[in-house]
Amino acid sequence: MKFCRFNETRIGVVRGALVHDVTACLDALPALRYPYPLGDALITNLDTLRPLMEKLADETKGVAIDSVQLFSPVANPTKIIATPSNYSAHAAEARADPEIAVYQGERARSIQEQGLFLKSASSLVGAAQGVTPRFPDRRTDHEVELAAVFGTITAGISEEDALSCVAGYAIGLDMSVRGKEDRSYRKSADSYSVLGPWIVTPDELGDPEVLDFWLRVNGEMRQESNTGLMLVKLRRQIAWASSVYTIYPGDILMTGTCQGVGPVKPGDEMKAWIQGIGEMDVRLNDYV
Ligand code: MN
């Protein structure tokens, strides 16, 4: 199943080029009382709700996916976990580019030395909101990444079992202003995390570790790779993350970007694609 959030408050099941409004499924969510549990209520209950979502999609006439505004398919993650320098060709270009290398210092560090990093949950937007760059005099780059969305509370999971806690996959854009500050500062501005266009459940996607993906800007190919080229594989990233952070439903893992990162500016149109997920169009808004 592919499911999305659209027009801010609507939940949709995506079939082909159509989105079927299944928002009525939210009536089946358990009532919550303060203090609310951490995480995203829809993702928490996805397994229970899925038959109802499929049924409602069968019964509802779809509308063209192009006619709706796609929001982040996760409304309330507690955190976005991200892996740095996870493709060797990107690590090499980062070392060779003074504006990127400035952060790493003189010595190129391994992923293990750098550690995972966190992006703020409030930086998250969907495709329709677009990215609003914050630093007019500096370089904001695109980074296209496979994103895993977690479905269950998970701590200390093994590499072998790691994929069992994934609710689905989406395209992630880890937007980054280049500079010397910590990653959490440079990558957590409002709209610097894009998730979408929808979430594809694991049964529909197949093996997430062999997916082609690319990103174009204004039609020009910028990034192109395959998730099989990750230095730290997806299962290991999840086991690693869960050994440090308890993972909550709706939490997102951005798995690192490939070579070809580069600057974008207001008016640019990014188009990202991941095999088995689909295409996502994201515009660069004016500076704030
Ligand atoms: Mn990244």
Side-chain angles (χ1 to χ4, degrees):
M1 182 175 72
K2 294 186 174 83
F3 65 99
C4 67
R5 184 161 61 106
F6 68 98
N7 298 354
E8 199 153 5
T9 59
R10 314 302 297 178
I11 303 300
V13 166
V14 178
R15 291 177 177 171
L18 298 180
V19 57
H20 301 260
D21 191 327
V22 301
T23 310
C25 75
L26 299 179
D27 295 340
L29 285 177
L32 294 177
R33 189 180 165 84
Y34 182 87
Y36 307 116
L38 287 174
D40 187 280
L42 175 60
I43 307 285
T44 300
N45 294 283
L46 187 62
D47 286 348
T48 313
L49 257 56
R50 184 171 170 175
L52 177 58
M53 293 167 76
E54 300 270 24
K55 179 170 173 283
L56 288 166
D58 291 343
E59 295 167 357
T60 316
K61 203 166 159 246
V63 300
I65 194 90
D66 293 344
S67 69
V68 304
Q69 299 250 303
L70 289 167
F71 280 65
S72 165
V74 179
N76 294 302
T78 74
K79 57 189 163 299
I80 301 164
I81 305 163
T83 304
S85 310
N86 203 18
Y87 291 75
S88 60
H90 170 60
E93 78 178 351
R95 281 194 298 274
D97 184 332
E99 287 186 81
I100 303 180
V102 68
Y103 176 74
Q104 294 203 6
E106 303 212 348
R107 193 169 63 91
R109 296 180 296 168
S110 70
I111 303 174
Q112 287 75 14
E113 285 176 298
Q114 295 180 63
L116 303 169
F117 65 95
L118 298 181
K119 292 164 69 79
S120 68
S122 59
S123 67
L124 185 64
V125 295
Q129 282 89 66
V131 169
T132 304
R134 289 266 156 179
F135 306 87
D137 53 343
R138 292 172 60 178
R139 176 176 151 189
T140 288
D141 281 10
H142 53 76
E143 295 190 354
V144 61
E145 319 197 352
L146 174 68
V149 177
F150 296 105
T152 53
I153 296 178
T154 304
I157 200 167
S158 69
E159 230 177 284
E160 194 181 14
D161 296 334
L163 298 187
S164 67
C165 64
V166 176
Y169 299 91
I171 301 173
L173 300 183
D174 173 21
M175 303 304 296
S176 310
V177 65
R178 300 302 176 193
K180 291 181 179 175
E181 301 97 336
D182 280 352
R183 284 193 172 90
S184 64
Y185 175 79
R186 294 184 295 102
K187 293 168 172 272
S188 287
D190 292 352
S191 81
Y192 273 43
S193 301
V194 186
L195 188 76
W198 39 73
I199 291 173
V200 182
T201 53
D203 57 297
E204 186 165 325
L205 185 71
D207 185 352
E209 297 193 316
V210 292
L211 303 176
D212 287 332
F213 64 96
W214 50 250
L215 180 136
R216 295 176 179 153
V217 178
N218 304 328
E220 175 200 344
M221 187 67 83
R222 291 272 189 94
Q223 295 189 263
E224 196 173 12
S225 192
N226 183 284
T227 59
L229 294 172
M230 286 181 197
L231 296 171
V232 176
K233 304 296 185 197
L234 178 61
R235 288 172 173 81
R236 188 142 161 242
Q237 290 181 58
I238 294 171
W240 183 8
S242 81
S243 75
V244 183
Y245 314 116
T246 295
I247 288 166
Y248 292 91
D251 282 0
I252 297 156
L253 173 67
M254 292 202 180
T255 57
T257 200
C258 68
Q259 73 284 357
V261 301
V264 282
K265 58 180 190 319
D268 284 348
E269 302 274 356
M270 298 182 287
K271 186 186 279 290
W273 171 84
I274 297 182
Q275 185 180 1
I277 297 175
E279 277 183 12
M280 177 169 78
D281 292 309
V282 181
R283 187 170 195 280
L284 269 291
N285 303 318
D286 289 338
Y287 291 113
V288 284

